[in-house]
Structures are given as structure tokens and as C-alpha cells.
Amino acid sequence: YHMSELQAKDILAILSGEKSERLPIVIESTANDNVFVFWSGHGVPGALCWNDDAYGIMGDQLDKTFRRMREKRSYRKLLMMVEACFSGGVMKQCEGIPGMLFVTAANGDETSKADVFNSEMKVWMSNRFTSTFIEQITDNKEVAMRDLYYRLFINTVGSHVMVYNAENYGNLYSANMSEFINSIVR
């Protein structure tokens, strides 16, 4: 899909596997699947922005979507990484769901600073959260969640990388990224 074709509510439908004529491609995962979501964009306190809608996806909407996914048994593990201002406040609202882990580039009270600039396009592309993440998984698909968090934390500039719902996820020392990207990244 192109971003311009979707509304914020469509993202929630895609995540929860709700096919429609308008959304023929959704995540059709089962209790045996691991789901990985990487979100990079803008955020405001309590919400992730979508297109021109500053409050596109509220934390409580995401929480309801994730709880519905849990009820439908549509994942084994779910990892959502979010690079957006105030993203910690959004993901904190989703705590308490078994098998889910949320890693954010900023806590709920701060902005996320872009520091990767494309001089050819004259635009800020992302922040060190994303570039460090890509570097880490490219170098080692089996990087432990704990080690990935540590690398993200020490390399992200201007905000505090946060982890939410770890107590409902599992051992961060033995869980690793290959559970989510083994068949994608080569």
C-alpha cells in the first residue's frame, strides 16, 4: 500500500488481519507466527501521527488492536519497534499483553532527534535508533534483545530508548532477532 491510500484505522485493520475489499492484503498470522512491526514517523504525546492527522493512532487504539490479536491467537511473539517522538507514551499503554515487546526511540515525554541527513535529497531521513538497528541486524541476525537494546540505547542521540512489556515477553538475554527476521534478512 502507499501511505496516501490508507487511513490510520486501516493500519489497525491490517495488523489485526481484517481483510476487506479495500484492504485485500493484511497480516494473516497464526499462533505459530512471530510478528515484527517497525514504525518510523512522527508522534505526539499519546499518539502516532498518520499523514496530516497528528492523533492518527492513539495508544488506546493500538492497545485494543493488540488485545484483539491476542484473543484471536494471531501471533506467537510480537515485536514492535517505534522511531517517533513521544513513542514511549504510546507503547506504555499497550503493556500487560503476553508475548509482546515494544522498543521505542524516545520515552513518553521527549522528542526523537533525527540525525541521518540525506544531502542529495536535502531531508532528514531518520535517527540513530533506525541506523543502529539496521546495522545490528545486518551484522548479526541472532543479536539478543538485551544486546540490541543496549546498542540502541548507547547510540541513539537526544532521546532515551525504552523497552515496554518485557515482563510479559520472556527472557531478553535468550530471545533474539532471528525469531523475526531470519527468513527476511539474508
Side-chain angles (χ1 to χ4, degrees), residues 38-50 54 57 80-91 103-114 126-127 129-130 156 159-162 164:
F38 192 94
W39 182 283
S40 182
H42 297 289
V44 297
L48 300 174
C49 304
W50 186 259
I57 298 178
M80 183 166 180
M81 302 187 73
V82 186
E83 180 196 321
C85 295
F86 308 102
S87 50
V90 176
M91 301 320 297
V103 182
T104 65
N107 68 34
D109 299 316
E110 65 189 358
T111 59
S112 176
K113 310 289 190 241
S126 69
N127 76 15
F129 179 86
T130 297
T156 300
S159 62
H160 300 87
V161 173
M162 302 295 290
Y164 296 94

Side-chain angles (χ1 to χ4, degrees), residues 145-179:
M145 293 299 179
R146 184 260 179 218
D147 295 336
L148 178 60
Y149 163 75
Y150 177 73
R151 302 308 292 165
L152 291 168
F153 185 85
I154 63 172
N155 286 302
T156 300
V157 178
S159 62
H160 300 87
V161 173
M162 302 295 290
V163 174
Y164 296 94
N165 207 45
E167 62 279 359
N168 294 297
Y169 182 76
N171 187 328
L172 298 184
Y173 289 88
S174 60
N176 67 63
M177 282 303 299
S178 68
E179 295 178 90

